[in-house]
Amino acid sequence: MHVLHGICVDLSHEGKGVFKSEGETYFVPGMFPGEEGDVEFAYARAGAKFGKIKKLDKVSPDRIDPRCKICSACGGCCFQQLSYKAQLDFKTKKVKEQFRKIAKMDVEPKPCIGMDNPYFYRNKIQMPFGKDQKGNLYCGFYKEGTHVIVPVETCFIEDERAKKILDAVKKLGKGFRIEPYNEDEGSGFLRHVLIRAAKHKEQVMVVLVTSREAFPSRSNFVKALLKECPFITTIVQNINSRHTNVILGEAERVLYGPGYIEDILCGISFKISAKSFYQVNPIMTEVLYGKAIEAAELTKEDVVFDAYSGIGTIGMVASSHCKNVIAVEIVKEAVADARKNAKFNGVDNISFYCDDASAFMVRMAQNKERVDVLFMDPPRKGSDQKCLDAICKLAPKRIVYVSCDPSTLARDVAYLNKKYKLQSVQPVDMFPQTSHVETVACLRLKER
Ligand code: SAH
């Protein structure tokens, strides 16, 4: 065993301790700046070395007792052992650092806005299943960088209703002889269980992701699950027979209820189906959208564009503050939800298009269409140059960029920098206990 002595000098952007020993750097999960002690070398990947704490001689004043006793093994929450104040400080600094490193810009983000109770916030839970030697089913998270399931009994960041459902599936699964899917062999039936719980309505969706359509004792299983968890309002079977890391497959079959749940966000009601994106922290989503709308300084004359619009949440919230909204999203199920949502809420100044945001905006720019304010909320990989070039041509007077990855945000803002001045950067803690951070950046068109 290779044990090293040294000190932790910083946190990496992934939230791992940056540990220095004999001139070498190691990344150590669960170690915090100022801590000193022994670390065991664990593995090397892509030129970086990783270690595991053996013994701490000096402990950070920010270290706390984690609520979750398996947080070190699970790897989902790298910050369960770090005070919440220190988590928020890390996130503010992380955003600043990414702008410095990637955009070469000196930016002063506002302090990251946190939650009053940073636990049990996640409304979306997805877990793979396995079976132990006694034939009992278990579920959990993949250990970081592997496909080994770390069994989880109680997850302290998830909506509390999820545990009841997962416990029921484990119990019933054994009785109904449901075989968990085995990735290596491609055998077995139950791949994942996905749960979506509404915050403001008593509605819960369960998606059983299975490797094939044929579901022995389907209706009895559904009945038994509903008996154990009467609060479930819809159950969907999603069939994913492909050998892939992607959780959901194409085909879907509604086994119970309407096939979607409804939730309320910023006073607007939203229908959400299994494949549609919906922010995972409903409390902080309202804070996030509040900041985005505030930054947009909308007027009743403004034509607003909502790029990467999901089920239309940001555009719908903006719609009452502006002339009209054009929204584009690539997932057809999400666009269908969005159209229903607009109709249901009586919002008639918004139109939804199912398309690639870049292709759509290039066409808009060619047609010299008018956009006054652009909201963009791309996935983690950010936007692309085609899209950013089209934005520069469309020249909206303000851009509100909502991002779940500050590194791609910084890259895209640097690209827009020739035409846009960065006005404000507001991190929001959508993902407490983890190293992830959401950011609202506001850019203003430079005067010629
Ligand atoms: N603004 C929404 C969704 C943000 S998530 C909300 O706050 O809920 C990002 C969204 O971008 C997802 O719905 C995803 O399906 C969509 N998306 C991903 N790539 C896209 C592309 N190339 N063009 C348009 N939409 C895309």
Side-chain angles (χ1 to χ4, degrees):
M1 188 170 57
H2 190 182
V3 176
L4 314 138
H5 187 85
I7 56 170
C8 177
V9 295
D10 202 358
L11 284 168
S12 72
H13 68 102
E14 287 177 317
K16 292 189 171 71
V18 178
F19 176 80
K20 299 270 185 190
S21 174
E22 294 170 14
E24 297 275 340
T25 300
Y26 302 81
F27 296 100
V28 183
M31 196 168 193
F32 305 122
E35 296 193 325
E36 184 176 345
D38 293 344
V39 158
E40 184 188 337
F41 173 73
Y43 60 92
R45 188 181 296 148
K49 297 191 192 99
F50 296 83
K52 220 171 112 185
I53 299 178
K54 282 300 304 166
K55 178 164 80 70
L56 287 179
D57 301 324
K58 197 170 152 204
V59 163
S60 162
D62 292 323
R63 179 177 285 279
I64 57 165
D65 252 351
R67 284 213 197 172
C68 175
K69 299 305 170 202
I70 61 154
C71 63
S72 305
C74 158
C77 294
C78 62
F79 285 161
Q80 283 257 349
Q81 302 177 84
L82 188 64
S83 74
Y84 193 48
K85 162 86 175 58
Q87 292 185 28
L88 294 175
D89 290 346
F90 163 83
K91 293 184 188 192
T92 312
K93 192 175 146 212
K94 169 171 166 168
V95 173
K96 183 177 169 67
E97 278 297 294
Q98 295 297 312
F99 271 100
R100 187 182 62 78
K101 277 193 196 147
I102 293 165
K104 313 279 177 239
M105 288 168 77
D106 185 20
V107 169
E108 215 47 70
K110 292 180 191 152
C112 184
I113 304 171
M115 293 187 82
D116 292 339
N117 174 18
Y119 296 96
F120 302 110
Y121 60 84
R122 270 190 81 97
N123 59 9
K124 179 184 173 189
I125 293 94
Q126 42 197 18
M127 285 197 184
F129 273 70
K131 191 165 85 169
D132 67 16
Q133 280 158 353
K134 291 184 188 146
N136 294 317
L137 297 194
Y138 59 86
C139 61
F141 295 109
Y142 292 126
K143 193 175 166 68
E144 200 185 350
T146 74
H147 270 209
V148 176
I149 302 171
V150 177
V152 174
E153 287 294 327
T154 304
C155 175
F156 288 84
I157 62 168
E158 294 180 349
D159 187 292
E160 285 166 288
R161 289 167 286 187
K163 176 174 165 54
K164 294 199 178 88
I165 297 169
L166 294 166
D167 284 347
V169 173
K170 283 187 255 180
K171 187 179 111 183
L172 296 171
K174 187 176 183 189
F176 279 82
R177 297 190 186 189
I178 288 182
E179 281 297 316
Y181 180 69
N182 179 318
E183 272 186 317
D184 298 331
E185 295 168 8
S187 63
F189 179 66
L190 184 63
R191 292 177 71 127
H192 273 84
V193 170
L194 182 151
I195 297 164
R196 264 198 163 142
K199 176 79 194 160
H200 296 289
K201 288 200 173 188
E202 294 296 316
Q203 300 198 8
V204 178
M205 169 193 281
V206 177
V207 183
L208 304 166
V209 185
T210 64
S211 59
R212 52 179 188 271
E213 156 105 61
F215 188 161
S217 319
R218 177 179 354 231
S219 63
N220 284 338
F221 183 83
V222 167
K223 268 190 215 135
L225 185 56
L226 289 168
K227 193 160 171 239
E228 294 277 334
C229 305
F231 54 88
I232 295 173
T233 52
T234 189
I235 302 177
V236 175
Q237 181 188 358
N238 175 285
I239 299 120
N240 187 356
S241 49
R242 287 170 304 162
H243 191 75
T244 165
N245 283 342
V246 180
I247 294 178
L248 293 178
E250 267 299 307
E252 239 175 50
R253 179 169 175 171
V254 177
L255 306 182
Y256 172 76
Y260 57 81
I261 54 165
E262 277 174 35
D263 202 1
I264 296 170
L265 206 55
C266 302
I268 304 171
S269 182
F270 289 98
K271 289 183 174 45
I272 310 142
S273 52
K275 285 188 201 155
S276 297
F277 176 89
Y278 188 58
Q279 299 282 357
V280 298
N281 183 334
I283 294 174
M284 294 314 278
T285 301
E286 293 196 332
V287 174
L288 179 79
Y289 289 176
K291 287 292 167 194
I293 297 289
E294 188 186 305
E297 295 174 32
L298 297 173
T299 72
K300 285 283 183 193
E301 282 73 51
D302 285 335
V303 175
V304 168
F305 193 92
D306 179 6
Y308 311 90
S309 54
I311 58 170
T313 44
I314 295 178
M316 296 266 282
V317 175
S319 67
S320 58
H321 303 274
C322 65
K323 182 162 171 254
N324 67 299
V325 183
I326 304 158
V328 64
E329 157 66 42
I330 205 160
V331 172
K332 63 178 191 303
E333 288 84 357
V335 176
D337 283 350
R339 288 182 179 139
K340 276 189 222 143
N341 289 332
K343 205 162 168 193
F344 184 76
N345 288 284
V347 176
D348 56 12
N349 62 340
I350 187 163
S351 4
F352 294 100
Y353 298 88
C354 184
D355 203 343
D356 167 57
S358 306
F360 192 90
M361 292 183 79
V362 167
R363 260 184 280 124
M364 279 190 79
Q366 280 163 354
N367 298 341
K368 297 200 167 40
E369 286 185 54
R370 172 181 154 198
V371 175
D372 298 305
V373 178
L374 165 72
F375 289 93
M376 57 191 288
D377 183 6
R380 299 188 69 170
K381 67 173 194 237
S383 197
D384 56 26
Q385 288 198 3
K386 214 166 96 183
C387 186
L388 298 172
D389 286 338
I391 291 170
C392 289
K393 280 204 189 106
L394 283 165
K397 57 186 182 207
R398 266 185 299 287
I399 301 174
V400 179
Y401 193 137
V402 178
S403 158
C404 56
D405 186 341
S407 62
T408 53
L409 170 69
R411 181 199 67 200
D412 291 350
V413 166
Y415 195 79
L416 291 167
N417 202 31
K418 56 185 177 207
K419 277 199 94 162
Y420 284 88
K421 183 173 164 25
L422 182 61
Q423 271 206 310
S424 62
V425 177
Q426 174 67 69
V428 176
D429 194 16
M430 293 283 271
F431 317 104
Q433 317 305 334
T434 79
S435 61
H436 298 287
V437 60
E438 191 85 13
T439 311
V440 181
C442 180
L443 299 105
R444 187 179 288 266
L445 188 65
K446 287 180 183 166
E447 306 277 329
R448 290 232 181 146

